[in-house]
Amino acid sequence: MSFYPVSTAWLGKYIDRLPPAFFYYFVFLFWTFAYQWLSYEIKSARENKEIKTKIEHMSIYQFTKNPIFYFSGFVIAILIFYFPPFVLITSVVELVSMLIFTNEDSDRLFS
């Protein structure tokens, strides 16, 4: 998480450069993989079927398990290579889509 301010500041200063754009993208991508791994571990550690089902039905969990996620990550990396500011467009689209598609009870997983 501490790389977010660094990558954002670097990208903000050099928006049209490739290294800061890829650094920002990889920080965002590694955070997504860490979230996926954490969700999987929480799901595996729980014996309660209801909690496992809730995790499996979370939109972000379903999306990161979909092969389209990995393909789109590759395509986005190619687009960033040709147009570095595309990384910001990608981030905004992902954040807005997670805002729209987040389950209503996702913050009450264990209650």
Side-chain angles (χ1 to χ4, degrees):
M1 283 304 279
S2 64
F3 280 121
Y4 268 122
V6 173
S7 63
T8 304
W10 192 23
L11 183 64
K13 190 169 185 174
Y14 303 103
I15 188 80
D16 58 341
R17 307 294 169 120
L18 197 56
F22 271 122
F23 183 65
Y24 181 87
Y25 180 64
F26 287 123
V27 167
F28 205 81
L29 197 62
F30 286 131
W31 177 87
T32 304
F33 289 138
Y35 181 82
Q36 180 184 21
W37 181 36
L38 177 66
S39 297
Y40 175 78
E41 291 298 324
I42 290 172
K43 187 181 86 152
S44 299
R46 295 288 171 177
E47 294 182 16
N48 187 341
K49 291 276 189 193
E50 183 181 349
I51 292 174
K52 288 182 179 185
T53 304
K54 281 184 177 182
I55 291 173
E56 289 171 352
H57 285 88
M58 291 172 61
S59 60
I60 184 70
Y61 187 80
Q62 290 177 351
F63 180 67
T64 57
K65 287 295 191 182
N66 194 327
I68 293 173
F69 169 72
Y70 298 102
F71 179 72
S72 65
F74 180 71
V75 170
I76 290 168
I78 292 171
L79 291 171
I80 292 170
F81 182 77
Y82 290 105
F83 183 62
F86 189 74
V87 71
L88 294 176
I89 297 167
T90 302
S91 298
V92 168
V93 168
E94 184 175 355
L95 292 172
V96 169
S97 65
M98 288 302 113
L99 176 70
I100 293 169
F101 296 114
T102 298
N103 299 11
E104 189 175 311
D105 64 344
S106 65
D107 62 338
R108 295 181 298 273
L109 193 60
F110 300 114
S111 56

